[in-house]
């Protein structure tokens, strides 16, 4: 089989032993790559009851079959582990040149277990990987680490993925950064690196990546590249995802003030349009991406002058309107602090917004927040709170570093009612109550509150359904989206190109041209379903049931006050009906457990035995 | 260089505002010239100077190529269109040409250690990196055309700002 390297690297950080494992054709066809391989690895290596920070947890890095080839946006990888934030299936998918480099070095992935007794990093130098001392890099920011390792190895073309000081301190929302602006963002993969004393993975790959049919793949890729200059990706190319700000604001679904409201009086000031005029200095592309969506801001004046950060909609929304902050300078600075110290911007914004609401309601005193004036709208306080959270500094920093679920449990006093998360994962920048199909999808997501698992917000925003209510038609929308996204995340390509493929058959064509393995669109969909079910089985192993698939109380109990969606809230009975329709369509029990029959149908034999109902 | 040459000698020019670092030029080059995917075998080099600068550079068809003069084996010849030809039999991979080139436009093959550089896809008729550049940042034009274009860009900017 082509496309795949055909082997992966296994590393035991305890014994410092490295070994080469073969990737079988069966594994390739059944699980495709990326998310599929991650699901298989977690199921096969992480037993029930494992502590996410223990040496028994795994940290798996997987590329997909298309990584390293000319197929547009193929240079993507995922990092997978039992999440210290959610206690279930954790991962993040990331772009940049890293995946391409790893494939060129001759590896489909790297699977690490154990814990190093001292700071270490893995250098995969083509076919000669080795663990090296990382003492010199301990304490460095993600950006400094990247530069220092490249300098020490004497090759600026090496790709580095590193955790920052937040990961070293086991901050539960710690992430991994590569190419400065790209992150394995969500569910705390950087904290798992920290627990293993693994500062970074560096890769140099100089080998060829062979594909099934080079001429045809080149032709097809050229056509896709052409399509990527068309209307399907225009939004990403022009204003980038921040174009969502004004659209969502008009619809009353731009979360502000910790999801108390669905619009923001300073939306114009933080819009993609405004940002392009005053802050965007350069639009970058990831390796092998014909779209180019990465809008890099520069702050020109004021106390944050000189700040540089790549700002997308989610970061902008959660560090801006959600915290009541309408100042692009402060928002850009907050993103920069997150990126350098190594925490997820989405989770970071939600946690600070929660703390601001605690202050608003008098549940946290001035002393609890170390004297910071943590009011909604205070950009300087936002930046300082993010810094303290990332470094676990003071009372405030130590509280916030645990994530919003644990922090609200610690504070008590009903603050859990407005801790906006699902399964412990902080909510992304989509309204709870005025995008209700979206909310259902956020809650069924295996990773916790997640816009990237089904894209179920799309039918709401596009007006294809009544977004202010739920019914039994929504389950199908969500699980079909999940199965499709599971394939995209396994190949792995960028979701921003999902619109340029005309059908599932075209995705199957891409897979066949790359790998030489015949597969139909229908078989791909089946693989997507298998992959999603496999990941779900992992969650069931760790105790997930129906009760974990609900939004926070605010979604049900507090009607919205914004004019355009006045009174909107989720009806609990409607929610249950929609969730039932999801489970029914999935072939799971109404307690949210995959049935033995469904798992056997998908070839998940071991899982049918272990968790099947 | 004589005026007539300036009017005909085309090189690969990169608009650094449009170039976003996607490296597709490198991928395409390795596929067209090496029949494999490996951007490190590309004849064009995509460079990024953080945080805001990107460029892709290939052979500049210098008027007095230092690579030609640096070669101790007399393996480098300048062709009529200004591009460089390397005699594989004479080249011993010493790398002086690579060291001498200010644009990083030459490389050594991984297997044989022989110098190679951009031939502007002479057999096809136009450089394929230019054809496939998604942002049209790359153009295959003469220096004279390039100069005119940049003057035009400057003027358009001035007009945009309300000048005349």
């Amino acid at each position: 089989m082509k496309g795949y390297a055909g082997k992966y690297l296994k590393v035991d950080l305890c014994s410092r032993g490295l070994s080469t494992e073969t990737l079988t054709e069966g594994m390739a066809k059944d699980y495709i790559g990326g998310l599929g391989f991650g699901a298989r690895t977690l199921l096969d290596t992480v037993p029930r009851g494992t502590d996410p920070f223990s040496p028994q947890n795994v940290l798996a890095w997987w590329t997909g079959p298309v990584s390293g080839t000319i197929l547009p946006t193929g240079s993507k990888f995922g990092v997978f582990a039992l999440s210290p934030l959610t206690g279930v299936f954790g991962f993040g998918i990331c772009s940049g040149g890293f995946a391409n480099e790893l494939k060129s070095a001759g590896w489909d992935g790297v699977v690490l277990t154990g814990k190093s007794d001292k700071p270490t990093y893995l250098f995969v130098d083509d076919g000669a990987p080795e663990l090296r001392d990382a003492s010199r890099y301990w304490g460095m920011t993600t950006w400094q680490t990247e530069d220092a390792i490249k300098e020490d190895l004497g090759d600026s073309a090496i790709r580095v993925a590193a955790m920052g000081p937040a990961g070293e301190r086991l901050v539960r929302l710690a992430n991994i950064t590569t190419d400065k602006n790209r992150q394995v963002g969500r569910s705390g993969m950087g904290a798992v690196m920290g627990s293993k004393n693994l500062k970074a993975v560096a890769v140099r790959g100089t080998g060829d990546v062979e594909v099934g049919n080079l001429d045809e793949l080149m032709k097809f890729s050229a056509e896709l590249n052409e399509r990527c200059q068309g209307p399907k990706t225009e939004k990403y190319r022009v204003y980038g995802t921040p174009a969502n700000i004004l659209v969502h604001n008009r619809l009353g679904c731009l979360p502000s003030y910790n999801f108390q409201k669905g619009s923001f009086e300073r939306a114009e000031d933080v819009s993609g349009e405004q940002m392009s005029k005053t802050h965007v200095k350069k639009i970058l592309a990831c390796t092998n991406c014909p779209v180019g969506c990465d809008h890099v801001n520069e702050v020109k004046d004021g106390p944050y002058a000189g700040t540089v950060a790549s700002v997308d909609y989610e970061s902008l929304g959660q560090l801006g309107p959600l915290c009541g902050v309408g100042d692009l300078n402060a928002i850009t600075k907050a993103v920069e602090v997150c990126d350098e110290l190594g925490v997820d911007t989405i989770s970071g914004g939600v946690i600070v917004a929660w703390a601001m609401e605690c202050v608003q309601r008098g549940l946290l005193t001035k002393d609890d927040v170390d004297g910071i004036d943590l009011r909604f709208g205070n950009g300087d306080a936002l930046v300082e709170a993010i810094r303290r959270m990332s470094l676990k500094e003071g009372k405030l920093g130590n509280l916030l570093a645990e994530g919003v679920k644990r922090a609200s449990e610690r504070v008590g006093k009903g603050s859990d009612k407005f801790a906006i998360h699902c399964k412990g994962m902080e909510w992304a920048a989509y309204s709870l109550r005025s995008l209700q199909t979206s909310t259902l999808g956020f809650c069924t997501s295996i990773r916790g509150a997640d816009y990237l698992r089904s894209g179920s917000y799309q039918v709401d925003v596009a007006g294809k359904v009544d977004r202010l209510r739920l019914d039994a038609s929504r389950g199908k929308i969500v699980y079909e989206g999940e199965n499709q996204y599971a394939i995209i995340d396994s190949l792995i390509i960028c979701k921003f190109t999902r619109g340029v493929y005309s059908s599932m058959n075209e995705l199957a064509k891409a897979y066949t041209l790359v790998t030489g393995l015949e597969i139909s669109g229908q078989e791909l969909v089946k693989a997507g379903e298998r992959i999603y079910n496999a990941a779900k089985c992992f969650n069931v192993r760790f105790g997930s049931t129906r009760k974990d698939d609900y939004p926070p109380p605010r979604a049900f109990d507090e009607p919205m006050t914004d004019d355009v969606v006045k009174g909107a809230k989720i009806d609990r009975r409607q929610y249950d009906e929609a969730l039932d329709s999801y489970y029914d369509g999935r072939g799971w029990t109404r307690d949210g457990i995959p049935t033995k029959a469904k798992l056997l149908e998908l070839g998940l034999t071991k899982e049918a035995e272990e968790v099947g109902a | 260089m004589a005026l007539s040459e300036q009017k005909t000698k085309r090189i690969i020019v990169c608009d650094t505002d449009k170039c976003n670092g996607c490296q597709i030029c490198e991928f395409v080059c390795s596929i067209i010239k090496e029949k494999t995917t490996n951007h490190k075998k590309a004849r064009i080099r995509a460079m990024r100077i953080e945080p805001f600068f990107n460029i892709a550079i290939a052979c500049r068809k210098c008027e007095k190529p230092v690579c030609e003069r640096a070669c101790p084996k007399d393996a480098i010849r300048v062709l009529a269109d200004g591009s460089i030809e390397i005699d594989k039999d004479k080249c011993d991979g010493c790398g002086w040409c690579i060291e001498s080139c200010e644009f990083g436009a030459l490389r050594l093959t991984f297997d044989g250690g022989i110098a190679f550089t951009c031939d502007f896809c002479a057999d096809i008729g136009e450089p394929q990196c230019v054809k496939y550049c998604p942002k049209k940042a790359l153009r295959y034009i003469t220096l004279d055309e390039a100069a005119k274009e940049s003057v035009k860009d400057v003027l358009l900017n001035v007009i945009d700002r309300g000048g005349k």
Side-chain angles (χ1 to χ4, degrees), chain A residues 56-121:
Chain A
Q56 283 71 45
N57 199 0
V58 74
L59 189 71
W61 303 58
W62 285 112
T63 64
V66 308
S67 312
T69 76
I70 186 75
L71 193 81
T73 73
S75 186
K76 293 183 86 81
F77 67 103
V79 180
F80 305 84
L82 174 64
S83 163
L85 188 67
T86 64
V88 290
F89 196 94
F91 72 104
I93 287 175
C94 182
S95 308
F98 185 91
N100 172 67
E101 201 74 15
L102 188 59
K103 184 65 76 63
S104 273
W107 306 94
D108 288 307
V110 179
V111 176
L112 298 119
T113 50
K115 176 184 180 173
S116 171
D117 56 2
K118 52 183 191 290
T120 191
Y121 78 101

Side-chain angles (χ1 to χ4, degrees), chain B residues 7-62:
Chain B
K7 283 201 181 330
T8 57
K9 193 153 102 177
R10 292 193 291 170
I11 60 168
I12 295 172
V13 172
C14 180
D15 181 331
T16 55
D17 288 332
K18 289 181 183 165
C19 179
N20 60 15
C22 74
Q23 298 177 269
I24 288 176
C25 52
E26 295 182 337
F27 282 86
V28 167
C29 181
S30 73
I31 289 175
I32 300 294
K33 303 305 291 184
E34 301 288 330
K35 302 288 168 225
T36 190
T37 320
N38 185 344
H39 72 93
K40 289 186 180 174
K41 290 182 175 175
R43 284 141 170 82
I44 188 165
R45 216 185 268 267
M47 292 293 296
R48 173 162 164 69
I49 307 293
E50 281 163 351
F52 299 124
F53 188 81
N54 285 286
I55 193 169
I57 317 173
C59 172
R60 301 283 302 175
K61 294 187 182 172
C62 303

Side-chain angles (χ1 to χ4, degrees), chain A residues 583-599:
Chain A
Y583 291 149
D584 293 353
R586 274 259 175 239
W588 299 352
T589 68
R590 289 204 167 169
D591 204 27
I593 310 293
T595 58
K596 278 192 165 51
K598 174 49 84 178
L599 295 177

Side-chain angles (χ1 to χ4, degrees), chain A residues 111-307:
Chain A
V111 176
L112 298 119
T113 50
K115 176 184 180 173
S116 171
D117 56 2
K118 52 183 191 290
T120 191
Y121 78 101
L122 175 68
F123 177 34
V124 181
D125 191 6
D126 277 325
E130 59 171 330
L131 288 167
R132 297 171 67 111
D133 178 38
S135 314
R136 176 168 125 62
Y137 313 119
W138 211 253
M140 283 188 184
T141 68
T142 56
W143 295 1
Q144 289 165 342
T145 307
E146 195 173 321
D147 287 340
I149 289 179
K150 285 178 181 180
E151 196 186 322
D152 289 350
L153 293 174
D155 184 351
S156 62
I158 283 170
R159 303 288 179 158
V160 177
M163 64 154 176
E168 294 171 11
R169 289 165 174 74
L170 308 185
V171 173
R172 288 182 194 269
L173 52 144
N175 65 10
I176 304 169
T177 286
T178 183
D179 288 1
K180 303 280 166 83
N181 293 331
R182 313 303 336 154
Q183 277 85 27
V184 179
R186 307 223 67 194
S187 69
M189 296 300 100
V192 178
M193 283 182 88
S195 74
K196 298 191 174 306
N197 273 328
L198 178 74
K199 181 68 180 174
V201 176
V203 192
R204 171 161 55 202
T206 62
D208 298 349
V209 175
E210 303 291 341
V211 298
N213 188 334
L214 187 62
D215 290 343
E216 286 301 313
L217 181 65
M218 179 64 218
K219 231 160 67 187
F220 187 43
S221 300
E223 192 187 324
L224 292 169
N225 282 359
E226 198 71 22
R227 290 184 207 169
C228 282
Q229 309 311 317
K232 296 285 189 191
T233 59
E234 189 181 356
K235 168 175 139 186
Y236 308 119
R237 286 181 278 123
V238 180
Y239 295 121
T241 52
N244 288 345
I245 292 274
L246 290 184
V247 177
H248 290 188
N249 192 55
R250 272 196 298 276
L251 293 172
C253 60
L254 174 70
S256 63
Y257 300 97
N258 193 36
F259 294 87
Q260 293 180 78
K261 291 190 69 196
S263 56
F264 185 48
E265 66 283 359
R266 294 190 64 187
E268 293 280 349
D269 297 343
V270 298
S271 65
E273 290 81 347
Q274 179 64 27
M275 198 176 101
S276 271
K277 253 188 254 160
T278 54
H279 283 71
V280 176
K281 170 98 172 181
K282 177 88 188 181
I283 302 173
L284 294 176
C286 297
T287 295
N288 198 15
C289 171
V291 180
C293 74
D294 190 0
H295 287 58
V296 185
N297 281 6
E298 182 187 43
V299 177
K300 295 187 187 73
D301 44 31
Y304 301 126
T307 299

